Amino acid sequence: MLDLSRYFPGAYCSLVLSDLGVEVVKVEEPGVGDPIRRIHPLKGNESTQHLLLNRNKKSITLDLKSSEGKDIFYELARDSDIILENFKPGVTDALGIGYNDIKVINPGLIYCSISGFGQDGPYHNLPGHDINFIGYSGMLGIAGQKRLPPTIPVVPIADLSGAMFAVISILSSCISRKTNRRGGFLDVSLLDGAIAWLGHSMGYLYLEGIPEAERDMALSGKYACYSIYRTKDGKNLTIASLEPKFWKNLCEKVGREDYISLQFSPGEKQQEIKACFEEMFLTKTRDDWMDFFEGTEICAGPVYDVDEVFVDPQVIHRKIFTEVVHPGKGPIKQIDSLSKLAGDFTEKGTYPPGLGQHTDEVLQNLGIREVEIARLRGKGII
């Protein structure tokens, strides 16, 4: 796979594929590289985002604006299975490395383009970032409770959903290619991906003709049975006892059996129940409540700070975090591949590459001699 992508969506897509065993070669601009390398916070002189998103990949530098650089790229594309890019629509065509250029060289190649709004339509040339896409999707408009400002999620939802749809599209195309022997062009939009995750919310509009933002939402925090509560130590606890059996268990455990039949009561009664629970949860610390609920099926959990996640016994048991050893930076903590059903795909110890670290290796595999590589480097082609 030749990975021309920049920033988060493309990097996460190729990370997932690299963990599944795809050989990913990042193609980066000489002397500059993927801008994600410079995003703060830094570990030494490299971004922690780069270090987390680029394990198991190789990096070469190549000037795709030069004729010699394009010729090398064509040779790489000839023997590749996949190309991934997330430039603004039209950029790769202008460079002469778009899908129509590459399919002549390699008809079986799968070419995936990730963009904010897609390759066509009235918005296709607009710039944007995650908050813009989830705003357009309607997702941001229903975040939080009615009549309160939307809550900006820290996790880049549109970036992640778009990356995962790109992975799914690429893998399904690889499967279909086994029978039809054809490649193809994949147009993945971050806006499309965000809208695709709105099935639950859109159900209200389709079935009842009422936008969810205009009605009481079970998952908005309005109801006492599904909310976040402050505890005595200033921490927070989640309660998600939506099903009647879980709500009954909760009410019985805290001695409020009178609320069992009032789970979804509207108006002032719901406010009364919520206020009672808010006052009650302030009487114990978060961890004391978790001890109190142990062994009872009520759907309760802590709101962790990030550092607490690393020491959670379930997380430790699942081996979600791992480390790779970087020769200049020592051990670097990683979120490991979650595809564990067929074994461990991650090549342990394959640290995130330095800019152009594998250029010589990749070009030598194309049959380019060392003296020619030195000439190309001297001209700034690589």
Side-chain angles (χ1 to χ4, degrees):
M1 175 182 189
L2 299 178
D3 182 6
L4 299 171
S5 67
R6 299 145 59 88
Y7 295 110
F8 189 87
Y12 191 72
C13 170
S14 59
L15 172 66
V16 173
L17 291 172
S18 71
D19 282 342
L20 291 172
V22 175
E23 181 183 11
V24 176
V25 177
K26 285 179 66 68
V27 181
E28 304 184 70
E29 184 179 352
V32 178
D34 183 348
I36 206 170
R37 289 179 177 273
R38 299 182 295 279
I39 293 177
H40 284 257
L42 301 177
K43 184 178 178 67
N45 61 349
E46 288 191 290
S47 167
T48 54
Q49 287 198 37
H50 163 71
L51 296 174
L52 286 168
L53 290 168
N54 287 290
R55 65 171 178 266
N56 298 332
K57 302 178 188 179
K58 296 178 179 179
S59 170
I60 68 169
T61 53
L62 198 58
D63 179 7
L64 295 172
K65 296 178 181 178
S66 70
S67 59
E68 287 183 289
K70 276 196 276 282
D71 287 343
I72 292 173
F73 184 78
Y74 294 150
E75 287 303 308
L76 291 170
R78 192 184 307 278
D79 295 322
S80 295
D81 294 295
I82 307 158
I83 288 177
L84 174 69
E85 64 92 7
N86 69 334
F87 291 109
K88 187 176 179 180
V91 168
T92 54
D93 291 333
L95 287 171
I97 57 170
Y99 175 64
N100 289 329
D101 302 293
I102 301 302
K103 72 177 181 180
V104 176
I105 301 168
N106 183 350
L109 187 132
I110 296 164
Y111 196 112
C112 181
S113 293
I114 302 176
S115 62
F117 296 98
Q119 297 297 308
D120 50 26
Y123 299 162
H124 79 284
N125 270 325
L126 291 181
H129 278 297
D130 193 84
I131 192 174
N132 306 122
F133 308 132
I134 62 174
Y136 274 107
S137 76
M139 186 181 294
L140 192 59
I142 60 172
Q145 295 188 48
K146 187 169 61 177
R147 291 183 295 275
L148 294 177
T151 302
I152 301 174
V154 176
V155 175
I157 296 174
D159 287 355
L160 282 167
S161 63
M164 294 309 294
F165 278 115
V167 170
I168 294 167
S169 299
I170 289 170
L171 293 179
S172 61
S173 296
C174 288
I175 293 170
S176 64
R177 186 175 57 185
K178 288 182 176 295
T179 55
N180 61 28
R181 306 296 180 183
R182 295 196 303 271
F185 180 76
L186 303 174
D187 176 8
V188 175
S189 157
L190 302 184
L191 173 58
D192 294 356
I195 293 174
W197 280 9
L198 281 177
H200 168 268
S201 303
M202 288 294 186
Y204 291 109
L205 176 61
Y206 289 149
L207 297 178
E208 302 181 22
I210 304 173
E212 188 166 353
E214 299 301 322
R215 57 170 291 129
D216 296 333
M217 302 189 314
L219 306 186
S220 69
K222 176 182 178 63
Y223 294 105
C225 64
Y226 193 95
S227 195
I228 300 170
Y229 293 99
R230 198 78 164 167
T231 54
K232 185 178 181 179
D233 52 351
K235 296 183 179 181
N236 294 283
L237 187 77
T238 59
I239 295 293
S241 294
L242 281 172
E243 292 85 351
K245 65 176 182 178
F246 294 139
W247 174 247
K248 179 176 181 290
N249 291 342
L250 173 61
C251 292
E252 290 177 344
K253 185 69 175 176
V254 300
R256 293 309 307 244
E257 290 87 348
D258 54 318
Y259 287 156
I260 292 175
S261 63
L262 304 174
Q263 180 176 8
F264 294 109
S265 295
E268 292 183 1
K269 178 52 71 172
Q270 187 63 223
Q271 293 174 27
E272 174 195 320
I273 300 171
K274 186 104 182 265
C276 174
F277 274 56
E278 288 172 348
E279 183 178 351
M280 177 190 70
F281 281 116
L282 285 170
T283 63
K284 298 178 187 288
T285 67
R286 183 195 68 186
D287 293 343
D288 284 343
W289 279 114
M290 290 304 299
D291 290 341
F292 178 75
F293 289 136
E294 187 173 359
T296 307
E297 290 192 321
I298 59 166
C299 302
V303 177
Y304 279 153
D305 293 327
V306 174
D307 60 327
E308 295 178 285
V309 178
F310 293 101
V311 295
D312 180 86
Q314 177 68 19
V315 174
I316 293 172
H317 176 81
R318 293 288 295 170
K319 299 179 181 178
I320 292 174
F321 295 103
T322 186
E323 289 184 343
V324 296
V325 179
H326 191 286
K329 297 176 175 60
I332 301 173
K333 191 173 288 293
Q334 303 273 302
I335 301 173
D336 202 0
S337 169
L338 304 185
S339 300
K340 301 178 185 296
L341 288 177
D344 185 3
F345 295 96
T346 306
E347 185 181 345
K348 302 298 182 185
T350 307
Y351 56 88
L355 178 60
Q357 178 179 333
H358 302 93
T359 302
D360 288 23
E361 172 192 331
V362 172
L363 296 189
Q364 286 170 0
N365 288 339
L366 287 179
I368 300 177
R369 295 177 300 171
E370 290 185 14
V371 63
E372 177 65 6
I373 292 173
R375 184 189 71 82
L376 292 169
R377 182 166 285 116
K379 291 184 64 177
I381 305 288
I382 59 175

